[in-house]
Amino acid sequence: MINKKPFGTIIAMILIAFTVIQVSCNKRAPSDLTKEVIIPRPVSVTASGDYFSIDEGTGIYVQGDTEEEKNIGQFMADILEPATGLSLEVTLTIEPPKSGNIVFKVSTDNKYGNEGYELTITEDQLTLIANNPAGLFRGVQTIRQLLPAKIEMKEKQEGPWEIPTGTITDQPSYEYRGAMLDVARHFFSVDEVKQYIDLLAFYKINALHLHLSDDQGWRIEIKTWPKLTEIGGSLEVGGGKGGFYTQDQYSEIVKYAQERYIIIVPEIDMPGHTNAALASYAELNCNGKATKLYTGTEVGFSTLCVRKDITYKFVDDVMRELSAITPGPYLHIGGDESHVTKKDDYIFFVEKVQDIVQAHGKLSMGWDEISLSRLKPNTVAQYWSNAENAGRAVKQGAKLLMSPAKQAYVDMQYDSTTTLGLHWAGYVEVDSAYIWDPATMVPGIGKENILGVEAALWTETITNLDELEYMVFPRLPGIAEVGWTPAELRSWDEYKVRLGKHGERMKAMDINFYQSKLVQWSSSTTK
């Protein structure tokens, strides 16, 4: 028996089927927050499968009582505006805002530490909670990375601007996560340093160590010793025009960094690496004769005359003026490669200089050789090459800042084919900069002995910001993750996939980065 349906019923069934198919085709796939590319990798991520959208109706509500917290909200609004075309209003409030908005809160329960945060994203609201403004700022960097890479572009882009829903709880593994920039071998302008600071902030770096003096140049105005910049700051490696920062310009850099929760650590390298000072003032030399300016790249040939009283008048004046314009806790006293300084003189010098730094209310930081001397409490030794020096510092109760040259010196060539950089410490490919654990690097030295990590860029061969970016990226993001993410959550095999996808974001940020063959970059990165 044939079942005959009325023609109208058949048409209705076809329309229903078409509607179901159309709805199925238009339905978005569930989001997965755990698959998002975030560097450094957060401590904990859970997903809930939906999306939060930023559009013309979205506002940023800061539930706090200070302009500092509101300024972080404004920082985020300013970051989002160029690509989205949206001018998100930032409101300081004590009242819970209506749904559809971004909310920043400062909590008082100390759950997240100084720089930690919790990001809760629902379809209706994005909420960022931290104990301190610094934590809010770190969380903003995560929010940026949850948006499409084109959010970093300076021209208006097509939306939608959606963020996967879920929860991220995060805080750093190490207190100090730094980058060192040598402005002595080749000078970098205030604007170039600011651009670098912005890139550091994006990866949750919280310290910029400026190498302000060396044999080739003196880069910071010292008002009581004006010839340091007049003479010592006049040249750079290769004989080009040097430069220096006035104290007002240095303060401008400090303020810019502070607004991004980054401290400036100024370094005056002593008693070696001092030819620029010795050429500026004859009395700092044991023979009373000024040296000639030096524009080469050899090291270890210069030394202050460490038994003359004038040397300590010089050091005291420099440290006094620097401490007055440096709100951060550290003054870096150098101490490396002082090959022509007698050992007894070197020890005598480092101990006196620590006293001077302390007298000006600061803590001393120095390269690992300073452990040959008696270290004052809270002095930090920066490990770069000698495990014995590192061990000696720890036995004296000092904390270590980890900058092992074979992993964290980002002026080393990537391989034998890259033209920029040096290779005295070996070649440092992207994997070498990532596959190391500060807490297991030196036998007998554990995490409890370590203040943090620092990527170091010496600039013998680096002359401009474009070259700087090529050497720093993508090694810096990996070193930033070493400092932020617990070792048990880090894996090169997982990270290199994330880094390959992250290349699209670095491209959107107009970063000139090295496209390592060890990483499978996304197709949009290599176009």
Side-chain angles (χ1 to χ4, degrees):
M1 183 175 180
I2 299 174
N3 183 14
K4 296 182 179 179
K5 294 183 181 289
F7 181 74
T9 302
I10 294 172
I11 293 297
M13 292 174 66
I14 291 172
L15 289 173
I16 291 170
F18 178 78
T19 302
V20 170
I21 291 169
Q22 188 177 40
V23 170
S24 298
C25 291
N26 291 339
K27 188 176 181 181
R28 291 183 300 175
S31 69
D32 188 348
L33 187 61
T34 66
K35 299 291 175 59
E36 291 297 303
V37 177
I38 306 170
I39 299 177
R41 180 181 177 178
V43 174
S44 173
V45 183
T46 58
S48 58
D50 218 317
Y51 296 89
F52 173 82
S53 295
I54 297 175
D55 54 34
E56 62 276 0
T58 306
I60 299 175
Y61 289 83
V62 181
Q63 288 188 281
D65 55 7
T66 71
E67 285 298 313
E68 180 181 5
E69 293 153 14
K70 185 179 180 182
N71 288 342
I72 297 170
Q74 190 60 55
F75 176 89
M76 180 170 169
D78 292 343
I79 287 289
L80 299 183
E81 184 171 3
T84 65
L86 302 172
S87 297
L88 303 189
E89 185 176 354
V90 181
T91 305
L92 198 63
T93 181
I94 58 172
E95 299 296 329
K98 62 181 182 181
S99 63
N101 291 295
I102 297 168
V103 181
F104 289 179
K105 295 180 182 179
V106 174
S107 170
T108 58
D109 63 7
N110 294 321
K111 178 180 177 182
Y112 311 106
N114 188 48
E115 294 179 275
Y117 63 91
E118 185 171 88
L119 185 59
T120 304
I121 310 154
T122 68
E123 188 178 6
D124 295 326
Q125 188 162 279
L126 185 153
T127 305
L128 175 63
I129 303 177
N131 292 140
N132 294 294
L136 292 178
F137 189 82
R138 305 299 175 225
V140 166
Q141 311 316 312
T142 297
I143 296 169
R144 288 171 68 179
Q145 294 193 35
L146 292 175
L147 285 160
K150 60 187 177 182
I151 194 67
E152 303 299 338
M153 293 184 175
K154 302 305 180 186
E155 303 82 26
K156 190 174 185 304
Q157 306 293 312
E158 290 298 319
W161 303 104
E162 297 179 325
I163 297 176
T165 58
T167 302
I168 295 175
T169 305
D170 203 11
Q171 61 183 17
S173 187
Y174 287 98
E175 169 188 343
Y176 182 113
R177 303 167 313 283
M180 189 280 289
L181 175 60
D182 170 15
V183 297
R185 270 53 175 270
H186 281 101
F187 183 66
F188 289 80
S189 70
V190 171
D191 284 344
E192 288 172 327
V193 174
K194 286 181 177 180
Q195 289 179 64
Y196 192 38
I197 287 170
D198 281 333
L199 295 176
L200 299 180
F202 186 72
Y203 295 101
K204 302 182 176 74
I205 297 291
N206 67 357
L208 173 60
H209 166 186
L210 289 176
H211 185 77
L212 292 168
S213 71
D214 214 296
D215 292 313
Q216 299 86 351
W218 186 283
R219 307 302 182 201
I220 180 67
E221 175 190 24
I222 302 298
K223 294 182 178 180
T224 49
W225 297 74
K227 291 181 183 179
L228 289 171
T229 48
E230 178 188 335
I231 297 173
S234 61
L235 298 176
E236 61 183 13
V237 166
K241 183 181 178 182
F244 66 92
Y245 309 118
T246 66
Q247 291 194 10
D248 285 344
Q249 288 174 323
Y250 176 84
S251 295
E252 185 182 338
I253 291 171
V254 167
K255 182 176 184 295
Y256 193 84
Q258 277 184 310
E259 290 169 351
R260 287 145 184 82
Y261 298 90
I262 292 174
I263 63 167
I264 298 296
V265 179
E267 178 185 356
I268 302 299
D269 206 349
M270 307 175 284
H273 288 280
T274 45
N275 190 75
L278 299 173
S280 302
Y281 285 96
E283 56 267 42
L284 298 178
N285 295 274
C286 288
N287 63 6
K289 297 179 181 179
T291 61
K292 293 182 179 180
L293 291 171
Y294 180 69
T295 60
T297 59
E298 296 300 316
V299 300
F301 62 87
S302 60
T303 184
L304 293 169
C305 193
V306 303
R307 297 290 176 173
K308 291 176 75 171
D309 290 343
I310 190 67
T311 295
Y312 299 99
K313 172 70 167 73
F314 163 74
V315 173
D316 185 65
D317 286 340
V318 171
M319 295 294 119
R320 173 176 49 79
E321 292 193 33
L322 260 185
S323 64
I325 54 177
T326 303
Y330 300 107
L331 297 181
H332 201 298
I333 62 175
D336 63 318
E337 298 174 321
S338 197
H339 300 322
V340 297
T341 313
K342 293 178 182 179
K343 184 176 180 180
D344 287 348
D345 287 345
Y346 177 87
I347 292 170
F348 177 80
F349 178 85
V350 171
E351 291 179 357
K352 283 187 72 71
V353 171
Q354 288 180 91
D355 287 338
I356 291 170
V357 170
Q358 186 180 58
H360 293 297
K362 300 296 183 182
L363 305 175
S364 293
M365 186 178 281
W367 300 103
D368 60 46
E369 291 95 322
I370 66 169
S371 69
L372 293 168
S373 69
R374 185 173 62 253
L375 299 181
K376 298 191 79 66
N378 298 316
T379 290
V380 176
Q382 187 164 2
Y383 168 65
W384 67 282
S385 71
N386 191 303
E388 185 179 348
N389 285 341
R392 187 185 299 110
V394 167
K395 286 179 181 177
Q396 296 190 60
K399 289 276 190 178
L400 290 180
L401 178 57
M402 303 297 284
S403 297
K406 293 181 179 180
Q407 287 79 23
Y409 270 32
V410 292
D411 60 305
M412 292 297 107
Q413 291 172 278
Y414 291 96
D415 60 30
S416 60
T417 68
T418 50
T419 55
L420 292 173
L422 305 172
H423 59 264
W424 57 261
Y427 299 111
V428 181
E429 248 289 4
V430 178
D431 59 343
S432 298
Y434 184 83
I435 306 172
W436 63 286
D437 182 357
T440 60
M441 173 137 287
V442 180
I445 294 175
K447 188 176 178 184
E448 68 277 7
N449 308 122
I450 297 170
L451 177 68
V453 302
E454 186 169 276
L457 180 71
W458 304 100
T459 61
E460 287 95 336
T461 70
I462 313 305
T463 66
N464 56 53
L465 193 61
D466 195 58
E467 293 174 350
L468 179 155
E469 289 177 356
Y470 184 81
M471 297 303 288
V472 170
F473 293 95
R475 290 184 285 199
L476 178 77
I479 295 169
E481 184 156 305
V482 169
W484 182 278
T485 306
E488 61 271 18
L489 295 181
R490 294 194 293 106
S491 157
W492 167 248
D493 287 338
E494 184 275 336
Y495 174 73
K496 70 181 180 182
V497 174
R498 200 161 16 106
L499 181 61
K501 296 176 181 177
H502 186 72
E504 183 181 359
R505 191 170 298 271
M506 290 191 289
K507 186 176 180 181
M509 296 172 75
D510 200 26
I511 295 172
N512 177 35
F513 65 98
Y514 168 70
Q515 294 188 24
S516 169
K517 292 181 174 62
L518 301 181
V519 176
Q520 185 174 345
W521 302 98
S522 63
S523 58
S524 59
T525 299
T526 55
K527 289 179 182 177

